[in-house]
Amino acid sequence: MTAQPVNDGFRMPAEWTPHERTWMAWPSPNPTFTNEQELAEAREAWGAVARAVRTYEPVTLVVSPGDAENARAIAGAGEGHPLTVVERELDDAWMRDIGPTFVTDGAGGLAAVDWTFNGWGAQEWARWEHDSKIARHVSDVAGTRTYSTPLVNEGGAIHVDGEGTVLLTDTVQLGEGRNPGWSRRQVEAEIHAHLGTTKAIWLPYGLAGDYGTYGTQGHVDIVAAFARPGVVMVHTQPDPAHPDHERCKTIAALLRASTDARGRQLQVVEIPAPTVLEEDGEWVDYSYINHYLCNDGVVLCSFDDPRDEEAAEIFRGLFPERTVTLVDARTIFAGGGGIHCITQQQPKV
């Protein structure tokens, strides 16, 4: 029988537990960034996130060979915790999805889950020859044991409360591009075996804009996220003109009717979407849910929008012991994700 983390006492801690460091990947030329200007803008955006995270904890940046100097100049600028650069071949720059999911055993042990990665469901534009190996590279650099699984999954497609509950999405784990032939029961069994969870709450879909060209087909980390056990934040679209208006009402109602692994009825906190509805003729999936929790901090997406400060106030209320740092995420969203999508926590053990 293949070794499974849960049998060795490992589970995925909640994101709000202390971190050893944050892992990120550096943008390099690829189909997501179609020209030098887009690549330069992406590097500035990724660098701004790295600098914000370094306010709270160390960052290790995986860069393509030859990009180390550029990465250090942008991401390592200013004061803060150390920036470490590791050179490995990359296809893209979404560390949440290509990197490992770290798990701990509560006794000083750290391990890494290496999901099968296939370019978000083998999308036509995606490349993953190198990215499919990044989780193991990161695990090797971190000096941890690696557990591999045939389940196609990404870090942005799961969210845990640290007490046995995981959020999933029908169109991701059960999508034909990822796990054809897998039943819901089989997916849950594999997820639980690798995260140490015992209950999955399935959302029917993600945000409408996440099904576009560079979308993930419904990642949960742009829709809903636990703030603490029993409390889940959910994206809400107040404007009836946007297709997410009805989607979000359905998702919020589903979550309110759900209980977690310990039998608690979930408390739902709605986070209103930014006021902008379209960008370049397409529905936006701009979302404050796609934040990142650091040691003593929250790095929160901003969009130069009137609702930025409203969202920041909600997060300050949910995380009163943390400092909220706003970082413009519009360039990151243009590439298909947000701040949570480009960061991956390594928990402290």
Side-chain angles (χ1 to χ4, degrees), residues 12 96-97 101 113 115-118 120-123 149-160 165-192 194-195 197 199-206 210-211 216-224 340:
M12 182 183 178
R96 176 67 51 178
D97 296 342
T101 296
V113 176
W115 310 104
T116 296
F117 179 74
N118 74 344
W120 301 278
Q123 298 198 52
T149 166
L151 184 74
V152 178
N153 186 49
E154 302 93 34
I158 55 176
H159 207 279
V160 301
T165 317
V166 59
L167 302 176
L168 306 172
T169 316
D170 287 346
T171 56
V172 177
Q173 286 86 3
L174 296 176
E176 283 299 310
R178 286 181 170 91
N179 299 299
W182 285 63
S183 68
R184 184 183 297 256
R185 183 175 179 179
Q186 288 173 313
V187 169
E188 286 192 14
E190 196 73 3
I191 290 282
H192 293 333
H194 287 80
L195 299 183
T197 48
K199 179 168 185 177
I201 298 174
W202 291 85
L203 306 186
Y205 35 62
D210 199 20
Y211 295 84
T216 69
Q217 313 305 304
H219 269 189
V220 75
D221 70 349
I222 200 170
V223 185
H340 195 253

Side-chain angles (χ1 to χ4, degrees), residues 2 43 50 69 117 124 129 171 176 204 216 225 283 298 307 338:
T2 305
R43 287 175 166 176
E69 184 177 350
F117 179 74
E124 289 184 4
E129 175 190 359
T171 56
E176 283 299 310
T216 69
W283 298 114
V298 181
R307 290 209 178 105

Side-chain angles (χ1 to χ4, degrees), residues 127-262:
R127 305 181 316 205
W128 58 91
E129 175 190 359
H130 303 305
D131 282 357
S132 62
K133 302 169 185 172
I134 289 299
R136 187 166 286 276
H137 287 320
V138 169
S139 175
D140 288 346
V141 173
T144 66
R145 177 180 181 179
T146 306
Y147 293 88
S148 297
T149 166
L151 184 74
V152 178
N153 186 49
E154 302 93 34
I158 55 176
H159 207 279
V160 301
D161 66 353
E163 295 190 357
T165 317
V166 59
L167 302 176
L168 306 172
T169 316
D170 287 346
T171 56
V172 177
Q173 286 86 3
L174 296 176
E176 283 299 310
R178 286 181 170 91
N179 299 299
W182 285 63
S183 68
R184 184 183 297 256
R185 183 175 179 179
Q186 288 173 313
V187 169
E188 286 192 14
E190 196 73 3
I191 290 282
H192 293 333
H194 287 80
L195 299 183
T197 48
T198 57
K199 179 168 185 177
I201 298 174
W202 291 85
L203 306 186
Y205 35 62
L207 300 185
D210 199 20
Y211 295 84
T213 303
Y214 296 127
T216 69
Q217 313 305 304
H219 269 189
V220 75
D221 70 349
I222 200 170
V223 185
F226 287 106
R228 55 183 176 270
V231 180
V232 62
M233 300 174 284
V234 64
H235 181 81
T236 183
Q237 174 53 259
D239 196 321
H242 196 295
D244 285 337
H245 179 70
E246 291 300 325
R247 283 175 176 250
C248 292
K249 287 202 297 186
T250 298
I251 290 168
L254 184 155
L255 290 169
R256 284 194 177 94
S258 299
T259 55
D260 64 16
R262 300 201 177 184

Side-chain angles (χ1 to χ4, degrees), residues 28-51:
S28 53
N30 62 44
T32 308
F33 314 115
T34 58
N35 56 55
E36 284 298 319
Q37 180 179 345
E38 285 189 359
L39 178 60
E41 291 172 351
R43 287 175 166 176
E44 288 296 333
W46 263 248
V49 173
R51 295 192 301 272

Side-chain angles (χ1 to χ4, degrees), residues 57 62 168 339:
E57 61 192 67
V62 179
L168 306 172
I339 288 173

